[in-house]
């Protein structure tokens, strides 16, 4: 992928394929209050009081990963803002001198009331899932009739000055793939970045995947035909191929995990809400770090364990073989 701007990439953690990992996706809960068809169609089934990472454990994780070259942390879930201490966690991460970018992904249900508080907590970038701009279809996909209040939240997020406001759209064949132009119109008049994300197969959604998966490549072909150009990707950016257009305030990102060489530029590691290190979204193994998050004196052992794991990182996912690893749904690992 030659459109990667690696100018300020710190070496830090690297794997056997020469990839470095400045970007950590940190899940702080797998609880979600929505029931998106492609993820938790029956809602969250686990124990709401489950033993998720504590603030002290998160602090030790952030310190160690920062020492290992991480400079971008995305807070994920389930729905991360269901945690009452979400703002405190965001402050803890954004206040670390080595973390240059703090981001989070949300379904937006608390955004309208909290945009300013979360911006003041030091969060730079926000991704909000909006899988349809049609009220009924949004309700059909998420199980919640909340589109209008979430759209108000996005206006608030733009007004309080988040550096990046991105809209995640999981493409669903025959459901929302007819709304691409509506999203483009939105990006024409608003400083947002629309992310069209290919539906990914997970352990629990195989039938749904077969019925609704559609490639996002058709959209990038159409964008190029209509004057959009590919923007250089920052070394710690997410996987999107980002397109810009002179007549548009916003931009469009295409995330197509089924495309060739998608994993060649992998730059992220994941921590689950109960402290497992996951080398890949669809990996077949995780290693628990929790026993080494109990005191600051364990730091060197933690660094040793994390560093040793990179040797096991595979060159790519094996989704094309139907191998979804140990990921039953995206809420279980923070997407
Ligand atoms: S699927 Fe796995 S290897 Fe590929 S980009 Fe995602 S995390 Fe990296």
């Amino acid at each position: 992928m030659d459109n990667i701007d690696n100018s300020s990439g710190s070496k830090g953690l690297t794997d056997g394929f020469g990839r470095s990992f400045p970007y950590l996706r940190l899940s702080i809960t797998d609880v979600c209050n929505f029931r998106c068809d492609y993820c938790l169609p029956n809602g969250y089934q686990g124990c709401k009081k489950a033993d998720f990472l504590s603030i002290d454990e998160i602090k030790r994780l952030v310190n160690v990963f920062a020492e290992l070259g991480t400079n971008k942390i995305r807070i994920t879930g389930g729905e991360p803002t269901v945690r009452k201490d979400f703002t405190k966690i965001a402050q803890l991460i954004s206040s670390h001198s080595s973390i240059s970018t703090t981001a989070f992904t949300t379904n937006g249900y608390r955004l309208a009331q909290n945009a300013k508080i979360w911006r003041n907590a030091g969060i730079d970038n926000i991704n909000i899932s909006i899988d349809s701009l049609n009220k009924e279809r949004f309700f059909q996909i998420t199980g919640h009739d909340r589109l209008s209040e979430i759209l108000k939240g996005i206006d608030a997020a733009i007004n309080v000055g988040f550096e990046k406001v991105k809209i995640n759209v999981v493409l669903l064949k025959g459901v929302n793939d007819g709304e691409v132009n509506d999203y483009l119109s939105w990006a024409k008049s608003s400083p947002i970045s629309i992310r069209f994300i290919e539906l990914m197969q997970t352990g629990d959604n195989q039938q749904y995947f077969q019925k609704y998966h559609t490639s996002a490549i058709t959209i990038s072909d159409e964008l190029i035909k209509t004057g959009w150009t590919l923007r250089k990707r920052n070394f710690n950016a997410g996987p999107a191929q980002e397109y810009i257009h002179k007549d548009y305030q916003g931009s469009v990102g295409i995330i197509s995990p089924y495309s060739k060489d998608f994993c060649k530029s992998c730059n992220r590691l994941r921590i689950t809400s109960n402290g497992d290190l996951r080398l890949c979204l669809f990996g077949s193994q995780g290693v628990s770090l929790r026993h080494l998050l109990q005191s600051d004196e364990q730091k060197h052992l933690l660094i040793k364990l994390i560093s040793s794991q990179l040797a096991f990182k595979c060159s790519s996912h094996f989704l094309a073989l139907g191998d979804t690893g140990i990921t039953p749904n995206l809420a279980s690992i923070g997407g």
Side-chain angles (χ1 to χ4, degrees), residues 4 12 37 88 114 136-137 145 153 157 180 206 227 237 248 252 286 292 294 320 322:
I4 306 272
D37 285 345
K88 217 169 154 198
N114 294 282
E136 286 71 34
R137 207 171 289 137
D145 183 12
V180 171
Q206 305 205 354
Y248 286 66
V252 175
L292 296 177
Q294 302 318 307

Side-chain angles (χ1 to χ4, degrees), residues 19 21 239 257 262-268 270 279-283 313-317 319:
R19 299 173 294 192
F21 299 91
F262 177 79
C263 299
K264 230 179 180 172
S265 59
C266 183
N267 63 355
R268 52 211 167 274
R270 290 171 171 81
L279 301 172
C280 171
L281 178 54
F282 299 105
K313 185 160 170 72
C314 297
S315 60
S316 77
H317 63 64
L319 289 173

Side-chain angles (χ1 to χ4, degrees), residues 162-214:
F162 281 98
E163 284 174 23
K164 291 185 182 158
V165 177
K166 302 175 186 175
I167 310 299
N168 288 356
V169 187
V170 175
L171 276 176
L172 304 169
K173 187 167 57 185
V175 179
N176 62 3
D177 53 353
E179 296 183 50
V180 171
N181 288 333
D182 302 337
Y183 284 102
L184 293 183
S185 312
W186 189 12
K188 189 160 193 161
S189 57
S190 193
I192 53 175
S193 181
I194 307 286
R195 256 102 179 92
F196 292 114
I197 307 169
E198 278 179 3
L199 172 65
M200 289 171 262
Q201 187 176 350
T202 60
D204 291 353
N205 75 354
Q206 305 205 354
Q207 282 180 349
Y208 187 90
F209 172 80
Q210 268 133 28
K211 189 169 178 191
Y212 294 109
H213 175 76
T214 182

Side-chain angles (χ1 to χ4, degrees), residues 226-296:
T226 51
W228 292 76
T229 53
L230 194 56
R231 171 157 49 191
K232 252 199 174 328
R233 189 169 151 241
N234 193 8
F235 74 99
N236 67 0
Q241 296 278 299
E242 184 124 14
Y243 294 86
I244 51 175
H245 191 291
K246 62 177 177 40
D247 302 335
Y248 286 66
Q249 276 193 50
S251 63
V252 175
I254 303 291
I255 299 177
S256 49
Y258 292 87
S259 63
K260 187 173 165 300
D261 295 340
F262 177 79
C263 299
K264 230 179 180 172
S265 59
C266 183
N267 63 355
R268 52 211 167 274
L269 299 172
R270 290 171 171 81
I271 298 285
T272 64
S273 56
N274 56 4
D276 279 8
L277 170 65
R278 295 286 191 83
L279 301 172
C280 171
L281 178 54
F282 299 105
S284 56
Q285 58 178 354
V287 61
S288 179
L289 305 179
R290 199 129 201 205
H291 58 296
L292 296 177
L293 294 172
Q294 302 318 307
S295 83
D296 297 342

